[in-house]
Amino acid sequence: MSANVLFDAPGPKARVRNIIYSVIGTAALLGGILWVVLRLSDQGEFDAELWDIFNYTGIQQNILDALIATLKVFALAGVFSLVFAVVLCVARLSVHKPVRWVAVAFIDLFRSIPLLITIFALWVGLFGSMTPFWALVIGLTIYNGCVQAEVLRAGINAVPKGQMEAAYALGLRKTQVMASVLFPQAIRSMLPTIISQLVVTLKDTSLGFMVLYPELLHSARLIANNTPVNGVYPFVQTVTVFGAIYIGLCLLLSSLATWLEKRGRRTKTGIAVAAAAEPAETPGVLDPSAPLGPSTEAETTAALPGVSPSDEVDKKD
Amino acid sequence: MDVLLDNLSLFREGFFGTLKLTGASAIVAVVVGVIIAGFRVSPVPPLRIFGTLWVTLLRNTPLTLLFLVAFFIVPKVFFPDLDSFLLATLACGFYTSAFVAEAVRSGINTVPLGQAEAARAIGFTFTQTMRLIVLPQATRTVVPPLSSIFIALTKNTAIAGAFDNVELFNVSKTLSNDGYDIAMIFLWITLAYLIITYAINGLFRLMEHRLEVAR
């Protein structure tokens, strides 16, 4: 790969121009940030007393409780959704038509309803009364289970057909073929996508805000409402702190997905590893002709070199 | 059945509320997304860094958090009493723009190498190459993921209902408070969302079909 294909290696003039653009761009950006900060500090949002609330042990305990509440929902919903996904995926690939139809209908239905509405309906009492906690966990499980089922199916479709045929030829039964040949390879190749969807699950735990479950964002609002400092409600402060915690958690998990994708590219199993991106949302099921799975390899090899915004620019011919 | 017939005007308002929010946020998302994608492949390093930061941050932020920022922090930075529709559009639009930018960038990646090289060979600048050669061809590969992104956006606008916007989630909340059976409300709201998502799906299928050119 030589220099970037979208633009020539900069000559002396272009280099000067790029430096000017760089300076202007950086200045504009910093200026914008500075303006926001100044506006906020004009209104006294950076007064020490407003930020001092995070030194109270009560507030610290609240943050910890909220974090645990979020992680508890995430852990349960994550595990349940994966188990549910395996069940749905097996049903979706069943040889019995009625079972397949039910699975397709279920998956399509719950993928096209906003998760918030599912959670709200569960909370208000679609199946009798439910605590916010279970409404949230079950809602997340249903929605993410459906998405993960489709991801697994794409993974199973990406396993070369010969694998299944060989397994049947050896005399393995359907369950054995699924459990010992197809699923392990599907999960291995789809792991980055599965984890990316787990990031979505983690992000969606914030919907607990709407059903009054005391997760991070809801606690942020409660704290802001209950701790007025000199008559000012510290919304900016709590949203900043709790938001940073949320983003940090999500970044951690999604960098794990990216790392797995990069690592997977090096292996020589013959099955391309999937991209660390959220799976598609189109109803009517992910199209097996354009699977999420092996597309990354095709994409990276056919890509314009140098479009990846990294090292190419500085090298000139 | 009564739920729908008794509250037809409310349902209609909610349905169009969702459509309006989705449409407005989609426009914001596409405009910002294309610009950010341009930043990410541009020859100017700070712009590239900014683009990468924008995408990474927004993709790892829960939309609810963006709504909190929009409704509690943005009014303090600009001025109070901003319209709740405008704020919701900004939150949804900016959130979705990160996904649009990623789709556009991978679309740019699929344009054959020779195209950009030929453009450079006849002396096009970066902006000309992008505007006249690369982006028009990238459109073709960007359309299918865009449909998926807009369907996700439609569903995400439900969160706006919890922040003073009249749309389908808001309607279901109001009706449930009025004491109607949640199962029936759920049914009709679901139907409304199915109509919207399948309409988007169909529209993009059509577009894909029209853009299909033998290469």
Side-chain angles (χ1 to χ4, degrees):
Chain A
M1 288 185 201
S2 63
N4 194 310
V5 281
L6 287 176
F7 44 84
D8 290 299
K13 250 188 188 169
R15 223 171 292 148
V16 172
R17 203 174 52 220
N18 281 352
I19 289 172
I20 292 173
Y21 284 157
S22 296
V23 170
I24 293 175
T26 319
L29 212 66
L30 290 181
I33 294 172
L34 192 70
W35 184 70
V36 170
V37 169
L38 281 180
R39 281 289 295 182
L40 286 177
S41 87
D42 270 355
Q43 321 211 357
E45 295 293 347
F46 289 106
D47 288 355
E49 298 106 59
L50 280 172
W51 293 88
D52 193 43
I53 57 169
F54 297 109
N55 283 329
Y56 304 165
T57 39
I59 302 268
Q60 283 168 359
Q61 189 60 45
N62 277 343
I63 296 179
L64 197 65
D65 288 347
L67 184 64
I68 290 170
T70 294
L71 288 179
K72 215 163 71 182
V73 168
F74 169 60
L76 276 183
V79 172
F80 287 169
S81 69
L82 286 175
V83 173
F84 188 48
V86 170
V87 175
L88 269 181
C89 176
V90 170
R92 177 76 182 75
L93 293 167
S94 163
V95 284
H96 307 292
K97 263 188 189 161
V99 178
R100 217 159 54 210
W101 287 338
V102 170
V104 171
F106 188 87
I107 291 174
D108 269 6
L109 179 68
F110 279 98
R111 284 183 69 199
S112 38
I113 308 170
L115 177 53
L116 177 57
I117 287 181
T118 313
I119 292 173
F120 179 75
L122 286 171
W123 180 50
V124 173
L126 201 53
F127 308 112
S129 63
M130 223 178 246
T131 58
F133 176 76
W134 284 108
L136 195 57
V137 170
I138 294 175
L140 283 168
T141 302
I142 293 177
Y143 175 73
N144 290 291
C146 290
V147 180
Q148 302 275 29
E150 287 298 287
V151 172
L152 283 179
R153 196 175 66 92
I156 284 177
N157 283 338
V159 175
K161 223 177 164 201
Q163 300 265 347
M164 192 179 65
E165 288 165 354
Y168 278 125
L170 283 174
L172 297 185
R173 276 176 288 111
K174 263 192 308 194
T175 328
Q176 286 175 313
V177 174
M178 267 287 174
S180 55
V181 178
L182 294 181
F183 262 113
Q185 301 191 68
I187 291 174
R188 187 195 163 95
S189 73
M190 298 312 281
L191 205 53
T193 312
I194 291 174
I195 292 182
S196 293
Q197 184 60 33
L198 282 178
V199 177
V200 176
T201 312
L202 178 57
K203 288 195 314 192
D204 282 348
T205 56
S206 67
L207 294 178
F209 183 88
M210 264 57 97
V211 292
L212 313 181
Y213 178 68
E215 46 76 58
L216 282 167
L217 294 181
H218 190 252
S219 310
R221 193 175 183 177
L222 277 185
I223 290 174
N225 272 331
N226 294 330
T227 354
V229 180
N230 305 334
V232 180
Y233 292 95
F235 276 109
V236 177
Q237 292 72 14
T238 48
V239 168
T240 311
V241 170
F242 283 81
I245 297 175
Y246 235 127
I247 295 175
L249 286 178
C250 294
L251 272 176
L252 262 180
L253 201 56
S254 60
S255 55
L256 173 68
T258 321
W259 178 73
L260 278 171
E261 183 194 345
K262 283 203 181 115
R263 202 187 70 135
R265 279 208 206 117
R266 291 202 303 267
T267 56
K268 295 182 181 68
T269 49
I271 304 171
V273 77
E278 292 81 2
E281 293 262 3
T282 325
V285 209
L286 300 164
D287 193 355
S289 67
L292 308 139
S295 64
T296 33
E297 195 181 48
E299 230 176 64
T300 38
T301 46
L304 294 173
V307 170
S308 59
S310 49
D311 45 1
E312 275 83 20
V313 194
D314 299 325
K315 288 182 230 150
K316 43 185 172 61
D317 327 322
Chain B
M1 204 64 207
D2 287 350
V3 190
L4 183 69
L5 292 180
D6 291 353
N7 302 290
L8 205 57
S9 65
L10 190 60
F11 265 103
R12 198 175 47 221
E13 211 181 324
F15 185 75
F16 286 115
T18 295
L19 273 187
K20 228 168 62 180
L21 258 176
T22 309
S25 323
I27 293 170
V28 173
V30 168
V31 172
V32 178
V34 171
I35 294 174
I36 295 290
F39 279 6
R40 291 199 72 181
V41 297
S42 86
V44 186
L47 291 186
R48 278 206 303 270
I49 294 168
F50 175 69
T52 316
L53 262 180
W54 179 276
V55 170
T56 325
L57 264 186
L58 282 179
R59 276 176 57 162
N60 288 296
T61 308
L63 184 54
T64 319
L65 176 62
L66 277 189
F67 267 94
L68 287 183
V69 171
F71 280 81
F72 290 118
I73 299 183
V74 170
K76 292 206 174 186
V77 175
F78 294 95
F79 39 87
D81 302 328
L82 281 169
D83 184 30
S84 68
F85 176 77
L86 179 76
L87 291 176
T89 306
L90 282 183
C92 285
F94 278 18
Y95 179 75
T96 312
S97 76
F99 297 88
V100 174
E102 272 306 272
V104 172
R105 196 173 70 103
S106 57
I108 291 173
N109 275 334
T110 57
V111 175
L113 214 101
Q115 297 286 330
E117 284 176 342
R120 266 172 55 202
I122 54 174
F124 279 8
T125 63
F126 172 69
T127 7
Q128 281 174 321
T129 314
M130 287 295 282
R131 193 164 52 87
L132 299 170
I133 309 293
V134 175
L135 280 182
Q137 297 188 67
T139 323
R140 214 172 293 143
T141 34
V142 172
V143 166
L146 265 193
S147 126
S148 150
I149 288 168
F150 286 157
I151 287 167
L153 171 64
T154 311
K155 299 192 300 180
N156 282 335
T157 54
I159 296 176
F163 290 86
D164 296 341
N165 274 286
V166 179
E167 51 74 71
L168 287 166
F169 171 66
N170 193 274
V171 167
S172 70
K173 234 169 111 174
T174 316
L175 290 179
S176 152
N177 286 343
D178 287 352
Y180 286 99
D181 182 21
I182 185 72
M184 288 315 281
I185 304 172
F186 186 69
L187 192 77
W188 291 115
I189 297 283
T190 304
L191 199 69
Y193 273 107
L194 282 177
I195 292 172
I196 299 178
T197 47
Y198 273 89
I200 293 177
N201 200 26
L203 205 71
F204 274 82
R205 281 274 166 79
L206 206 73
M207 227 153 92
E208 232 175 288
H209 212 68
R210 301 205 71 174
L211 287 170
E212 220 167 35
V213 187
R215 275 196 259 184

